[in-house]
């Protein structure tokens, strides 16, 4: 019986190698598809809040003030339920959309609430400025021509908490912020200790 030629051995080895590679690729593809299906199923049933854009008419500031509101999963399905509230303040030159558009806070909030690390809450992100410093007021304090602090406590806070069934007491209300908003949150918490049970300031601008 003739021995197989070197060429036929090489061809057989190549075919076996190709077959093994193909099987590995196929198995990997199967696992990838399975993982995608699991992820899709989880995403369809996971906790997800909604972010809405709102405005409040301010007599104090003589303007319409925009704000973003994060409403936790189930907010519309449970019309009798009340929630804690977090006032989340943006930084200098940003606006009410910054925490959502740049910080993805809604995704972070969804994950924390789904895992049980955070309670369900309403998160209020009011506008207190804009990019054009020469044309737009920026700040959370009372200044000549810009009484934002009065607006916050006399108009924004009571209107939002009534409309969105949130807060209502010191124990159910917190404030946090970044940069200019961090400075605002610290000062609000210190100046109104009866209003907030917690404060978190990130890179607070206190100057």
């Amino acid at each position: 019986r003739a021995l197989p030629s070197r060429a036929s051995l090489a061809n057989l080895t190549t075919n076996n190698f190709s077959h093994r590679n193909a099987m590995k690729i196929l198995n990997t593809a199967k696992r990838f598809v399975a993982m995608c299906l699991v992820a899709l199923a989880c995403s369809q049933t996971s906790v997800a809040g909604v972010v809405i854009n709102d405005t409040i008419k301010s007599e104090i500031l003589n303007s319409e003030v925009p704000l973003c509101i994060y409403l936790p999963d189930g907010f519309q399905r449970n019309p009798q339920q009340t929630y804690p509230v977090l006032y989340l303040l943006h930084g200098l030159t940003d606006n009410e959309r910054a925490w959502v558009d740049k910080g993805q806070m809604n995704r972070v909030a969804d994950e924390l609430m789904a895992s049980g690390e955070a309670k369900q809450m309403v998160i209020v992100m009011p506008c207190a400025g804009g990019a054009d410093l020469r044309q737009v007021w920026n700040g959370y304090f009372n200044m000549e021509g810009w009484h934002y602090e009065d607006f916050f406590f006399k108009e924004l806070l009571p209107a939002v908490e009534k409309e969105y069934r949130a807060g209502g007491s010191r124990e159910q209300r917190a404030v946090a912020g970044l940069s200019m908003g961090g400075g605002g949150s610290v000062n609000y918490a210190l100046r109104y200790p009866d209003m907030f049970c917690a404060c978190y300031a990130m890179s607070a601008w206190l100057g």
Side-chain angles (χ1 to χ4, degrees), residues 135-167:
Q135 299 294 326
V136 179
W137 285 100
N138 277 264
Y140 294 97
F141 312 109
N142 288 341
M143 299 174 277
E144 186 176 351
W146 180 251
H147 293 269
Y148 193 93
E149 189 172 336
D150 288 346
F151 156 73
F152 187 96
F153 287 96
K154 296 178 181 179
E155 294 182 328
L156 173 68
L157 190 148
V160 163
E161 296 191 4
K162 180 180 179 181
E163 177 68 20
Y164 295 103
R165 313 192 310 269

Side-chain angles (χ1 to χ4, degrees), residues 13-160:
T13 303
T14 301
N15 288 339
N16 287 340
F17 181 77
S18 299
H19 178 72
R20 288 196 300 270
N21 272 357
M23 292 304 297
K24 287 181 179 179
I25 293 171
L26 179 60
N27 289 334
T28 300
K30 288 179 179 179
R31 289 197 298 270
F32 177 76
V33 171
M35 291 171 64
C36 289
L37 291 174
V38 170
L40 180 61
C42 291
S43 68
Q44 291 174 340
T45 59
S46 62
V47 173
V50 297
V51 175
I52 63 172
N53 298 306
D54 201 352
T55 58
I56 180 170
K57 181 173 176 56
S58 171
E59 300 294 336
I60 293 172
L61 299 178
N62 192 31
S63 65
E64 295 274 346
V65 180
L67 55 151
C68 273
I69 310 284
Y70 170 89
L71 301 175
D73 182 63
F75 182 88
Q76 300 293 349
R77 298 192 301 272
N78 302 294
Q80 303 304 317
Q81 185 172 344
T82 59
Y83 298 87
V85 62
L86 169 64
Y87 291 90
L88 188 56
L89 312 182
H90 65 75
L92 184 69
T93 73
D94 275 329
N95 58 32
E96 76 285 354
R97 293 288 312 177
W99 281 106
V100 175
D101 295 339
K102 298 179 181 180
Q104 304 295 309
M105 60 71 50
N106 49 319
R107 294 185 181 182
V108 175
D110 287 343
E111 291 176 7
L112 291 175
M113 292 177 198
S115 68
E117 295 177 76
K119 290 183 177 181
Q120 283 197 319
M121 68 183 76
V122 171
I123 302 176
V124 180
M125 296 156 280
C127 183
D132 190 344
L133 297 177
R134 287 182 286 187
Q135 299 294 326
V136 179
W137 285 100
N138 277 264
Y140 294 97
F141 312 109
N142 288 341
M143 299 174 277
E144 186 176 351
W146 180 251
H147 293 269
Y148 193 93
E149 189 172 336
D150 288 346
F151 156 73
F152 187 96
F153 287 96
K154 296 178 181 179
E155 294 182 328
L156 173 68
L157 190 148
V160 163

